[in-house]
Every structure is written in structure tokens, then in C-alpha cells.
Amino acid sequence: MSDSDLIVAARQAREFARAEFSTFKVGAALETADGTIVTGCNIENATCGLTICAERVAMFKAQSEGHHAFRRIAVVADTEAPTPPCGACRQILWEFGGDLEVILANLQRETGRHKLSDLLPLPFDSRLLQ
Ligand code: THU
């Protein structure tokens, strides 16, 4: 799958966003090591604090379907500037996905590309719990 196919999958997932409170819709598409694509969208609720971002929905879906190795994630929002994963998502993506390539895009084009280790330097993870 090409980068643009992954971005298209994230754009399609964004259409399912439950963003009635912020109106800020986000889609994510996570590529596993075997080439499977697992998508997610943000899901909000009236308490706001229980909101879950598109990236974590994709990763938790992938975990629940038995995927444990990943290559890339595409994240799409309707913003001119790149919309990068929030801190909570960086932590979850790191712990379950390792040093993923993070591809950012809006509805028209790619807006950024990063290694997750550059977005989350000096991470806390299970290596410190030995
Ligand atoms: N959001 C995401 O889903 N991913 C991001 O990378 C940034 C923020 C969601 C959370 C919330 O539903 C809305 O965007 C506004 O913060």
C-alpha cells in the first residue's frame, strides 16, 4: 500500500468521527507489519473527558484484533497546519507500535512526516519496569 492509499483510508475513517462537541474530525489509518490497515476516528461524548482520539481508537482496535507489529500511521484532519498526535496518543502508539512512521495530512495533501521517536523523545515504557 502506498502512502497516499494510507492517507485515503484515514480520510475515509474521518468521515465516521463522532465529533459533535468539538466538530474537529480526525481519521487515522494504521498499517500493520503484514500490510493490514486498521482505521480509527475520534469519538467524543457529553462528558468530554472520555473522548478518545482517532489514533488510539485505531491502535486499540488493532490490539483487539491480535496485531502486534506495525509500520506506519496516517492521521488526517481538516487543518492547514499539520495535526500531530496528542501526548496520550504518542505514548500509546510508542508502547504498542514502537518507532512508527507518522504521516500527517489534511483533506488535500500531506502536511508532515515524522518518526514517532522524534515526536516522543526520552519515552517512558516497559523497559524501565524490569
Ligand atoms: N483529536 C484526535 O482524534 N487526534 C489528534 O491527533 C488530535 C485531537 C481529537 C480529540 C477531540 O475529539 C478533537 O480532536 C478535538 O481535540
Side-chain angles (χ1 to χ4, degrees):
M1 167 164 283
S2 70
D3 288 349
S4 56
D5 288 338
L6 199 64
I7 290 170
V8 166
R11 277 193 195 123
Q12 288 172 346
R14 178 180 169 277
E15 293 300 314
F16 296 118
R18 301 299 311 268
E20 288 86 342
F21 300 95
S22 74
T23 72
F24 192 85
K25 294 180 174 187
V26 185
L30 182 61
E31 182 186 47
T32 72
D34 69 10
T36 303
I37 305 303
V38 183
T39 60
C41 61
N42 54 328
I43 302 174
E44 301 179 350
N45 80 326
T47 68
C48 296
L50 296 178
T51 289
I52 181 164
C53 296
E55 297 93 321
R56 273 176 289 156
V57 170
M59 180 55 84
F60 291 150
K61 275 174 69 183
Q63 294 301 306
S64 76
E65 293 166 10
H67 299 290
H68 294 134
F70 305 92
R71 293 185 193 135
R72 301 180 290 177
I73 187 167
V75 182
V76 169
D78 185 13
T79 54
E80 189 51 35
T83 294
C86 76
C89 289
R90 294 179 197 203
Q91 179 70 28
I92 291 298
L93 292 174
W94 175 262
E95 288 199 48
F96 291 107
D99 199 8
L100 292 171
E101 184 175 22
V102 180
I103 301 166
L104 307 176
N106 61 25
L107 302 190
Q108 290 80 35
R109 59 184 171 81
E110 185 178 317
T111 53
R113 187 178 284 258
H114 306 271
K115 285 175 65 177
L116 185 57
S117 56
D118 292 331
L119 298 179
L120 189 68
L122 202 62
F124 176 83
D125 59 37
S126 62
R127 291 174 297 184
L128 294 162
L129 299 177
Q130 305 310 314

